Amino acid sequence: MKTTLLIVSAAISAFILLLFVLAVMSRSGKAPGLTEGRLAKCPDTPNCVCSEQKNDTTHFIAPIIIPSSTTTIDSVALLKTAIREMGGTLQAESDNYLASTFSSSLFGFVDDLEIRLDLSGNVVHIRSASRVGYSDAGANRKRSEMLIKRYSDAAGKNQQNFSAIDKAVQK
């Protein structure tokens, strides 16, 4: 009985130590960035989603449709606000690209959320991926869906505000 308890305790301790090591490893990485002007493909693990992988049903998530009334500057501002409100930290920014990180509360695992604005297609492409490990219990898909909802809601409010201003100006 004592030996079994000792073995179980050692196994649990080793597992927790492994989680801490993986969490530390995740903090030292960085987002893959753009490859030939597109977001990087997801690895074969289920802890990644990407809107630019249409033929990969496991990893595909629909991109954000940019409303015709929303400017590029508005889109970037809305996306940055949504990321911050969701607890993300912006890491890199260019004309058509944003990279941010999210950390888990328990062990501090770092996930990357990348965004590419495709103005010719009038969409925002998303890639959300864990830096280490195999499974994420759907966290990256949920995060991406939350970003899509927050952006869409904010863009809709902006559209309502623009419509109200237009009506006031016309009177």
Side-chain angles (χ1 to χ4, degrees), residues 16-72:
I16 291 172
L17 180 62
L18 175 65
L19 291 176
F20 275 113
V21 168
L22 287 172
V24 169
M25 287 173 53
S26 76
R27 291 182 209 128
S28 65
K30 67 176 189 168
L34 299 176
T35 305
E36 296 178 7
R38 299 174 59 96
L39 296 172
K41 286 187 173 188
C42 288
D44 289 334
T45 58
N47 58 4
C48 177
V49 295
C50 183
S51 64
E52 294 199 288
Q53 288 185 250
K54 293 179 184 175
N55 298 333
D56 184 349
T57 56
T58 302
H59 297 107
F60 180 73
I61 189 161
I64 299 171
I65 306 298
I66 301 173
S68 58
S69 61
T70 306
T71 67
T72 303

Side-chain angles (χ1 to χ4, degrees), residues 37-109:
R38 299 174 59 96
L39 296 172
K41 286 187 173 188
C42 288
D44 289 334
T45 58
N47 58 4
C48 177
V49 295
C50 183
S51 64
E52 294 199 288
Q53 288 185 250
K54 293 179 184 175
N55 298 333
D56 184 349
T57 56
T58 302
H59 297 107
F60 180 73
I61 189 161
I64 299 171
I65 306 298
I66 301 173
S68 58
S69 61
T70 306
T71 67
T72 303
I73 294 169
D74 290 339
S75 289
V76 170
L78 293 173
L79 289 163
K80 288 164 80 172
T81 299
I83 289 167
R84 286 186 189 111
E85 288 175 350
M86 292 167 47
T89 304
L90 288 166
Q91 301 293 325
E93 178 180 355
S94 69
D95 292 340
N96 68 335
Y97 175 78
L98 294 174
S100 58
T101 57
F102 288 82
S103 298
S104 67
S105 56
L106 186 56
F107 288 101
F109 286 98

